[in-house]
Amino acid sequence: MDAIETIMTTRAIRRYTDDPVTDEEIQTCLRAAQQGPSGGNVQPQQYVVLTEAEPKAAVAEWYRTAFDRYERSLPDPTEFRDEAQAASWRRTRDASRHLADHLQDAPAVVLFLQPLIPWTPSDDQGEMDIGRLDASVYPAVQNFCLAARALGIGTAVTTVIRIHTAEVFEALGIPDGRFEIAALVPMGRPAGNFGVAPRKPAAAVTHWNRWGDKRRD
Ligand SMILES: Cc1cc2nc3c(=O)[nH]c(=O)nc-3n(C[C@H](O)[C@H](O)[C@H](O)COP(=O)(O)O)c2cc1C
């Protein structure tokens, strides 16, 4: 696929067919993830790939529990700009609910872990803010999703599982106190279609040379 088309049509896919995703396809996506940039080329991430029913079911149960709690915290969306915005919000909510109820059926689920390591250098002037460690993990996550899209596989970046990190680590035998979850990414062939997701126009949020100087697209 053309790279720009791949990027433009990569969006959250949360409903999958029963068609399998092969280990080779997952490995291709993981190689693409590994090519992502990281601060000082530290490459901090580890991946935990779930393809077997038992670990997927264990993680899916904690995902559902986490999502149930998160969903209850959502504000009542009574005030939308227009019906289109309200409909878009409802679609995302319904698809997210569907994923929470069916994660165990996704052909594969990949956990992106980042280590709990100090990431703030200091000198005689004090600590230096060089950005957060997760900034070195999310490029890998997005590369993974883009590679999957190029193979016709849908993905969704998710993080609510962090609410139950300890339980997931115990279920999968991940050592305690060494990692946190950067993302949980289910993958499978889309039950619907890939498409270009609605976004703000780039021109609306782009400033040329000085703040406030915007151009029309
Ligand atoms: C950091 C991050 C966390 C997210 N967490 C969740 C999640 O826990 N559950 C979920 O269903 N979607 C989650 N999403 C997916 C977003 O809801 C989705 O990317 C957004 O609605 C845009 O979807 P679209 O590309 O299909 O338009 C997350 C996305 C990001 C980038």
Side-chain angles (χ1 to χ4, degrees):
M1 276 184 87
D2 170 69
I4 300 296
E5 190 192 344
T6 304
I7 293 166
M8 295 304 287
T9 59
T10 299
R11 64 177 305 179
I13 302 285
R14 301 185 181 88
R15 293 184 171 93
Y16 311 110
T17 68
D18 294 334
D19 295 334
V21 170
T22 67
D23 289 359
E24 290 71 29
E25 286 172 321
I26 298 170
Q27 283 159 338
T28 298
C29 297
L30 292 169
R31 280 198 297 275
Q34 282 297 94
Q35 293 308 119
S38 58
N41 202 22
V42 66
Q43 303 171 60
Q45 70 274 15
Q46 300 266 329
Y47 313 102
V48 182
V49 181
L50 311 179
T51 54
E52 294 174 2
E54 199 188 317
K56 266 195 300 176
V59 170
E61 197 171 325
W62 287 115
Y63 186 95
R64 190 168 44 254
T65 308
F67 189 82
D68 286 348
R69 181 173 165 204
Y70 168 71
E71 194 179 37
R72 283 193 297 273
S73 79
L74 291 174
D76 188 19
T78 42
E79 299 228 346
F80 283 109
R81 241 183 303 122
D82 50 40
E83 180 46 33
Q85 199 198 28
S88 163
W89 188 90
R90 280 196 299 271
R91 271 197 303 277
T92 298
R93 183 202 56 197
D94 293 350
S96 301
R97 181 70 254 171
H98 178 90
L99 177 66
D101 290 334
H102 296 91
L103 186 67
Q104 66 281 0
D105 302 326
V109 175
V110 179
L111 283 162
F112 292 72
L113 304 183
Q114 69 183 68
L116 295 166
I117 53 174
W119 193 245
T120 308
S122 56
D123 61 8
D124 53 11
Q125 295 172 56
E127 292 191 336
M128 283 170 258
D129 179 358
I130 59 160
R132 291 159 28 167
L133 183 62
D134 49 13
S136 288
V137 178
Y138 287 117
V141 176
Q142 184 66 4
N143 270 12
F144 183 94
C145 296
L146 292 172
R149 165 66 190 105
L151 296 173
I153 297 166
T155 57
V157 178
T158 77
T159 56
V160 288
I161 193 67
R162 285 173 59 96
I163 295 170
H164 288 298
T165 295
E167 293 85 348
V168 168
F169 281 14
E170 193 183 343
L172 300 177
I174 298 167
D176 211 21
R178 285 180 48 195
F179 299 99
E180 62 183 299
I181 300 172
L184 178 153
V185 179
M187 61 197 300
R189 252 100 206 161
N193 295 315
F194 289 109
V196 180
R199 295 288 189 264
K200 295 175 190 171
V205 291
T206 306
H207 311 257
W208 291 84
N209 300 308
R210 56 191 59 78
W211 185 261
D213 282 1
K214 294 186 175 179
R215 294 180 185 169
R216 293 210 181 107
D217 236 349

